[in-house]
């Protein structure tokens, strides 16, 4: 019996591979990728000097992005620099590198009309510098939103230290795209297991939880938050947030399950690295499909992989919403 099942899966896998190209050829490029990395030269130079670079980072080119997008039927990628952003630099240098990187991202978009948008990088944790960059990014560069890390060393996004930045972003009704990075507490925790394998998913959910239970997400209800990788480990711990935390001190009487569900159901979650059957279907049961956005994590994964995974599990209006329509609700520059 085991042999027959294994053979069946091989046959089905072959069939899926054979028909997969139809998912790319049915219509002209239309997808909007909200999780697509770029590598601005001013930024990668600083990263190299700090010896924080990696092979996919240093080998990235715009041409590789465009090639991947064309193969996946992606019309537009909203780009964002990858970790570690600029938090490892002193304030003045962080502000300079962030500004030059954002200008480079805008130039890339100008040179390839319709193909690239941008989530601007901020020189967090430097508040005054970040406020200046928000003004420049939105008013001059016409950014689609800002990109943030899920943590900055030992501080998560719901911490009071970041209130001035989020107050301004809330005033602007901005999109805040988040990407995980190892916090100070949890670097090289398990020998032989990279931080990105487990810890990054945990940190995405960590900052999401902090935003909710600090009251920050309710306070900043005009910000559209996007969480990478389907919210990290959210589907595994959602019951703890919705039941255990609201029925025990210190949150009992302050939060209800309905309040938690409201926040979870208004956040957005991208599909990068979670287009597999288990994770994406669990996410679609936890939150409405209207909150799921197409994301690829290029250059660490390909767009085609995610298209194949999603088209095997969604169709019709749901697939169209994930591919493009959901993103258009919060990215007015692309309507």
């Amino acid at each position: 019996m085991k042999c027959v099942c294994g053979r069946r899966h091989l046959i089905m896998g072959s069939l899926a591979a054979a028909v997969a190209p139809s998912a790319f050829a049915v219509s002209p490029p239309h997808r909007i990728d909200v999780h697509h990395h770029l590598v601005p030269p001013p930024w990668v130079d600083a990263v190299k000097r700090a010896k924080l670079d990696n092979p996919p980072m240093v080998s990235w080119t715009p041409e590789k992005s465009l090639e991947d997008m064309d193969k996946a039927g992606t019309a537009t990628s909203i780009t964002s620099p990858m970790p570690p952003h600029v938090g490892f630099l002193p304030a003045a240098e962080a502000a300079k590198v962030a500004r030059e990187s954002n200008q480079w991202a805008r130039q890339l978009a100008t040179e390839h009309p319709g193909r690239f948008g941008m989530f601007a990088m901020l020189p967090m944790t430097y508040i005054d510098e970040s406020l200046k960059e928000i003004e420049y990014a939105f008013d001059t560069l016409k950014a689609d939103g800002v990109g943030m890390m899920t943590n900055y060393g030992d501080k998560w996004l719901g911490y009071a230290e970041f209130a001035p930045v989020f107050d301004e972003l809330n005033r602007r009704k901005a999109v805040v795209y988040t990407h995980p990075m190892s916090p100070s507490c949890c670097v090289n925790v398990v020998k032989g297991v990279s931080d990105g394998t487990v810890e990054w998913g945990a940190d995405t959910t960590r900052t999401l939880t902090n935003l909710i239970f600090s009251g920050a997400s309710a306070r900043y209800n005009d910000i559209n938050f996007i969480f990478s990788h389907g919210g990290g480990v959210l589907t595994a711990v959602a019951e703890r947030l919705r039941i255990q935390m609201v029925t025990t001190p210190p949150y009992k009487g302050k939060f209800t399950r309905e309040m938690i569900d409201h926040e979870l159901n208004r956040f957005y979650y991208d599909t990068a690295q979670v287009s597999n059957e288990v994770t994406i279907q669990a996410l679609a049961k936890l939150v409405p499909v209207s909150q799921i956005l197409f994301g690829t994590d290029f250059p660490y994964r390909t767009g085609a992989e995610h298209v194949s995974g999603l088209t095997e599990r969604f169709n019709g209006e749901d697939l169209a919403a994930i591919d493009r329509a959901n993103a258009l609700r919060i990215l007015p520059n692309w309507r």
Side-chain angles (χ1 to χ4, degrees):
M1 187 67 177
K2 184 182 294 185
C3 182
V4 172
C5 290
R7 182 171 180 274
R8 179 178 180 274
H9 280 105
L10 283 172
I11 293 171
M12 293 303 292
S14 298
L15 288 173
V19 301
S22 65
F24 308 88
V26 161
S27 59
H30 62 285
R31 296 180 175 89
I32 297 177
D33 182 356
V34 301
H35 186 155
H36 193 105
H37 296 299
L38 86 170
V39 183
W43 174 76
V44 76
D45 288 346
V47 172
K48 284 180 178 178
R49 288 195 299 271
K51 300 188 184 318
L52 297 172
D53 55 303
N54 58 58
M57 179 191 296
V58 298
S59 64
W60 177 88
T61 66
E63 291 73 26
K64 289 181 179 179
S65 276
L66 289 166
E67 180 182 5
D68 187 82
M69 291 162 61
D70 290 343
K71 288 179 179 178
T74 299
T76 304
S77 289
I78 313 300
T79 61
S80 54
M82 55 193 76
H85 276 210
V86 292
F88 62 95
L89 297 169
E93 188 176 356
K96 180 177 184 291
V97 171
R99 173 64 57 90
E100 292 176 354
S101 297
N102 291 334
Q103 291 172 332
W104 193 88
R106 172 46 60 201
Q107 182 62 33
L108 177 70
T110 300
E111 291 173 358
H112 302 277
R115 303 309 307 272
F116 295 110
M118 60 176 289
F119 289 137
M121 180 165 53
L122 302 181
M124 302 278 276
T125 58
Y126 310 112
I127 302 303
D128 289 343
E129 289 80 358
S130 292
L131 291 172
K132 291 176 184 177
E133 195 58 28
I134 288 171
E135 180 180 14
Y136 181 77
F138 283 102
D139 296 343
T140 301
L141 300 181
K142 308 303 179 185
D144 296 290
V146 300
M148 290 188 177
M149 296 289 91
T150 52
N151 75 82
Y152 292 91
D154 58 355
K155 298 178 178 64
W156 284 265
L157 299 186
Y159 278 32
E161 290 90 329
F162 300 132
V165 171
F166 283 105
D167 285 339
E168 176 60 13
L169 292 170
N170 193 66
R171 184 186 73 80
R172 290 177 176 269
K173 298 179 169 56
V175 172
V176 174
Y177 160 82
T178 69
H179 193 283
M181 185 170 71
S182 305
S184 297
C185 67
C186 309
V187 178
N188 300 323
V189 176
V190 180
K191 185 185 299 184
V193 178
S194 71
D195 295 346
T197 303
V198 176
E199 180 53 40
W200 284 16
D203 205 67
T204 294
T205 308
R206 190 178 289 126
T207 208
L208 181 160
T209 303
N210 171 241
L211 280 165
I212 294 176
F213 286 94
S214 67
S217 61
R219 191 160 59 251
Y220 305 128
N221 61 358
D222 283 328
I223 292 176
N224 288 305
F225 289 96
I226 301 174
F227 294 100
S228 296
H229 312 126
V233 299
L234 175 62
T235 55
V237 303
E239 186 167 337
R240 294 176 181 271
L241 308 187
R242 301 162 82 199
I243 298 175
Q244 188 169 338
M245 286 192 71
V246 300
T247 56
T248 56
Y251 301 112
K252 183 178 181 179
K254 297 180 181 179
F255 289 86
T256 65
R257 176 170 177 165
E258 290 71 24
M259 293 167 67
I260 306 308
D261 284 343
H262 173 77
E263 299 304 319
L264 294 179
N265 290 339
R266 82 170 187 87
F267 292 155
Y268 288 85
Y269 310 86
D270 76 43
T271 65
Q273 309 247 25
V274 296
S275 62
N276 66 88
E277 180 178 6
V278 174
T279 313
I280 197 65
Q281 291 187 345
L283 180 64
K285 289 180 180 180
L286 178 64
V287 304
V289 168
S290 63
Q291 306 309 111
I292 303 175
L293 306 174
F294 180 69
T296 66
D297 214 348
F298 186 83
Y300 296 94
R301 292 283 298 276
T302 70
E305 289 177 288
H306 291 82
V307 171
S308 294
L310 293 170
T311 53
E312 288 174 12
R313 292 164 187 107
F314 299 94
N315 54 44
E317 291 184 2
D318 284 348
L319 183 60
I322 293 170
D323 279 349
R324 183 177 179 87
N326 293 342
L328 290 180
R329 272 204 321 277
I330 60 174
L331 298 174
N333 291 344
W334 299 97
R335 290 173 190 160

